[in-house]
Amino acid sequence: MTDTTPFSMRRTRLMQQMGSGVAVLATAPEQVRNRDSHYPYRFDSHFYYLTGFTEPEAVVVLLASTHRAVLFCRDKDMEREIWDGFRYGPEAASATFHFDEAYSIGELDSRLPGLLADQPALHYALGQDAGWDARILGWLNSVREQARSGVTAPASLRDVRELVDEMRLFKDEAEQATMRNAAAIACAAHSRAMQATAPGRFEYEIEAELLHHFRANGSQAPAYTSIVAGGANACVLHYVENNAQLHAGDLLLIDAGCELDGYASDITRTFPVSGSFSAAQKDVYEMVLAAQSAALDAVKPGNHWNQPHEAALSVLVQGMIDLKLCTGSVDGVLESGDYRRFYMHRTGHWLGLDVHDAGSYKTDGSWRALQPGMALTVEPGCYIRPADNVPEALWNIGIRIEDDVLVTASGCEVITAAAPKTVAEIEAAMRHA
């Protein structure tokens, strides 16, 4: 029977693209936090994409010429399972994850030279980890030592990430389904956070609402450290202290997403702590919302990667001129870069197994065209710090609006649309708290 699991199909596609040679990919190591306490374990994204296997101490070897997939993993060990939990072991892992062969990770050093022998090319992430680089060189040298017996070592070394990055850029149906589910959990978490917000509460209390909803609904972890930034803190792009008290009249910017079965959601919403936007806050918010709408309209097949950013930027610059933040014409402000005082980042990034996911943004020096199956964020913003040439009513207003988007055959699907976003939706959600 042909194996048609998403992971085995990806391994087959990778081996077809390799044509010949052998690929070696290791998962991420466990990391010690302090003393004998570890950070929560998270597998390597490339490794998981090709295997579905989530245990540490594992390596996959793909032999393109014979279309063989070989897994090395931890042994079944009932005593260690008492302390650390379930382990598949090679036999169960092979059957469960559809590998052609599986061996103990303890056999890696003895078996790898044989798997590398007489292969024309080695596909490996050179430079990613110095320890693994040393092991790879050791295996290659073991093969070269057999030269007088007629055994040859791989003549070329190729970066396997180039092939896997391009594969990961296009999400298959299984990936899209998982991302929609991750988005749904995150949308509901943002709604919960809005309804929990009130003057006098602390940023970390609102962060706790997010984290509770993530975990209570099946997410394994936040996809990144949540940003819960009230008032002036919203003008710090990567603010993560989340320890300030919330005040009436301020805005609260929340940039938070969850990870579900490896896949990230990434949403930003900005809303008034007291439940209603002031006139100045509403003016800036509507400007950013219009910029996001323009960017979303530009997310469609055939448009290049930078067109959504360009569309958002034109709207933002016109809005900044209208609000007396910048002076001159739109073209003049764009050329001078004066807008960067208030908008200093780009309008999106690829999204998937990593929050800033794999995949190039340019090919042959040009922005790459958007195609169905790509997943990205769309997140314009405006961050206004106090300054003599800035209207005082706009001081400390920081706004970002971010959604997760799948490129479709006819345009795009906003998979995070359920999180309240318009002024009316946000104020209604907070009234019904």
Side-chain angles (χ1 to χ4, degrees), residues 187-210:
C187 284
H190 276 262
S191 295
R192 176 184 177 127
M194 288 180 189
Q195 295 177 353
T197 296
R201 300 201 74 184
F202 284 82
E203 293 165 343
Y204 55 75
E205 294 182 82
I206 309 307
E207 180 184 15
E209 299 287 343
L210 294 160

Side-chain angles (χ1 to χ4, degrees), residues 243-289:
N243 58 8
Q245 192 169 30
L246 302 176
H247 301 290
D250 282 348
L251 294 174
L252 178 59
L253 184 155
I254 296 179
D255 186 338
C258 65
E259 182 174 291
L260 179 66
D261 298 336
Y263 287 83
S265 54
D266 185 2
I267 303 173
T268 307
R269 292 292 186 265
T270 311
F271 54 93
V273 170
S274 301
S276 298
F277 288 88
S278 70
Q281 291 168 348
K282 184 176 179 180
D283 286 343
V284 181
Y285 190 90
E286 295 283 16
M287 175 187 72
V288 177
L289 186 62

Side-chain angles (χ1 to χ4, degrees), residues 23 41 111 114 166 169 254 257 312 323-324 372 387-388 425:
Y41 181 70
R111 289 186 176 271
E166 189 68 15
L169 186 56
I254 296 179
L323 292 172
K324 313 300 182 188
D388 291 340
E425 290 170 345

Side-chain angles (χ1 to χ4, degrees), residues 270-425:
T270 311
F271 54 93
V273 170
S274 301
S276 298
F277 288 88
S278 70
Q281 291 168 348
K282 184 176 179 180
D283 286 343
V284 181
Y285 190 90
E286 295 283 16
M287 175 187 72
V288 177
L289 186 62
Q292 197 208 33
S293 179
L296 289 170
D297 287 343
V299 178
K300 56 186 176 183
N303 279 3
H304 62 68
W305 164 259
N306 208 43
Q307 281 179 255
H309 175 68
E310 293 168 351
L313 192 54
S314 292
V315 174
L316 287 173
V317 168
Q318 182 61 65
M320 291 174 191
I321 293 170
D322 295 342
L323 292 172
K324 313 300 182 188
L325 294 171
C326 297
T327 58
S329 66
V330 170
D331 289 342
V333 173
L334 287 170
E335 183 176 354
S336 70
D338 189 43
Y339 68 87
R340 293 193 183 96
R341 292 185 296 151
F342 311 106
Y343 181 51
M344 59 292 293
H345 61 81
R346 300 192 64 79
T347 307
H349 52 78
W350 301 130
L351 183 69
L353 280 168
D354 300 324
V355 178
H356 287 232
D357 205 34
S360 63
Y361 293 93
K362 285 187 173 183
T363 57
D364 299 323
S366 299
W367 295 112
R368 72 181 308 153
L370 298 174
Q371 299 178 55
M374 292 177 171
L376 61 146
T377 65
V378 178
E379 50 176 310
C382 184
Y383 315 91
I384 308 172
R385 294 173 176 270
D388 291 340
N389 59 350
V390 171
E392 189 171 351
L394 303 179
W395 286 7
N396 295 320
I397 292 179
I399 293 170
R400 182 164 64 254
I401 306 172
E402 178 180 20
D403 280 295
D404 302 344
V405 176
L406 293 172
V407 182
T408 65
S410 58
C412 70
E413 174 190 355
V414 181
I415 61 175
T416 49
K421 185 165 66 172
T422 67
V423 168
E425 290 170 345

Side-chain angles (χ1 to χ4, degrees), residues 57 89 94 102 110:
E57 298 182 73
S94 179
S110 62

Side-chain angles (χ1 to χ4, degrees), residues 58-172:
V59 174
V60 64
V61 180
L62 305 177
L63 297 108
S65 59
T66 55
H67 285 269
R68 289 163 57 211
V70 182
L71 178 72
F72 292 84
C73 67
R74 300 181 302 184
D75 289 311
K76 189 73 176 173
D77 186 330
M78 299 305 294
E79 183 175 351
R80 289 312 313 169
E81 289 185 43
I82 293 172
W83 293 90
D84 302 325
F86 174 78
R87 295 182 177 192
Y88 278 96
E91 184 176 351
S94 179
T96 304
F97 297 93
H98 304 274
F99 289 98
D100 299 297
E101 303 168 36
Y103 302 101
S104 167
I105 192 68
E107 299 179 46
L108 186 65
D109 286 327
S110 62
R111 289 186 176 271
L112 248 293
L115 294 173
L116 293 173
D118 298 322
Q119 294 290 340
L122 170 60
H123 299 257
Y124 166 72
L126 182 66
Q128 181 170 289
D129 183 280
W132 277 105
D133 288 350
R135 293 185 77 177
I136 286 284
L137 292 174
W139 296 329
L140 289 173
N141 286 334
S142 293
V143 179
R144 293 183 182 114
E145 289 172 0
Q146 304 173 56
R148 292 178 64 184
S149 301
V151 177
T152 60
S156 63
L157 181 62
R158 301 170 187 170
D159 194 335
V160 71
R161 290 169 294 189
E162 291 184 11
L163 295 176
V164 183
D165 282 1
E166 189 68 15
M167 290 173 60
R168 282 177 53 188
L169 186 56
F170 297 88
K171 275 58 182 180
D172 59 33

